Amino acid sequence: MGKKLEKNGLWESSRMMLPEHKTRIIRDERETLRRIKPILDEQKLEEIECTLALSLRSHVRVIVVLFDPFENTMLSGFVTSIHTHSREFKLQWAEEWKWIDVDDIVEVYIV
């Protein structure tokens, strides 16, 4: 048993970290940084919907702030279509477009 002890009397161990342990540590750190989506009141939801409708009718550019658990994302473009039954709208910029769920929006600004 004396052979397994080193100079300071501790067991010698490997300091190598397995890849699956490293992944777990990174995932755990990201989960602690995760934010909770704010609950918007009726007035704020109505304001968002009116701004989107104004962009569709008047063809004005809007900036849409989308919730993300780690960091909000901002998209800028024109609303070209609204589906009220599925609560989503089509935001177009340049030659690209994206369908966005209204429930993912935190804020909308007219540019």
Side-chain angles (χ1 to χ4, degrees):
M1 179 144 171
K3 293 180 182 180
K4 293 191 178 189
L5 296 176
E6 284 298 311
K7 298 172 190 169
N8 59 3
L10 300 175
W11 289 91
E12 190 170 326
S13 64
S14 171
R15 298 191 190 270
M16 184 179 79
M17 182 178 276
L18 298 173
E20 54 268 17
H21 294 157
K22 189 174 183 181
T23 303
R24 178 181 295 155
I25 290 169
I26 292 170
R27 187 177 65 237
D28 290 345
E29 287 174 0
R30 286 196 65 170
E31 286 176 2
T32 59
L33 299 175
R34 194 171 280 195
R35 300 177 304 138
I36 299 172
K37 184 177 187 279
I39 299 172
L40 304 178
D41 62 357
E42 289 297 318
Q43 183 178 354
K44 188 65 175 176
L45 289 173
E46 187 175 338
E47 179 185 319
I48 289 171
E49 292 168 356
C50 288
T51 306
L52 295 174
L54 177 66
S55 176
L56 178 65
R57 280 193 319 270
S58 303
H59 202 67
V60 293
R61 180 180 288 275
V62 291
I63 294 175
V64 179
V65 181
L66 301 173
F67 175 78
D68 182 77
F70 302 106
E71 184 176 286
N72 288 345
T73 56
M74 296 175 70
L75 295 174
S76 177
F78 301 93
V79 176
T80 57
S81 181
I82 297 176
H83 291 170
T84 54
H85 62 281
S86 60
R87 295 188 50 78
E88 61 184 7
F89 66 97
K90 187 177 184 180
L91 188 69
Q92 185 170 352
W93 61 96
E95 299 296 321
E96 300 179 45
W97 54 269
K98 180 178 180 178
W99 283 100
I100 300 172
D101 191 353
V102 174
D103 296 326
D104 293 338
I105 297 175
V106 176
E107 186 68 59
V108 178
Y109 304 103
I110 296 175
V111 179

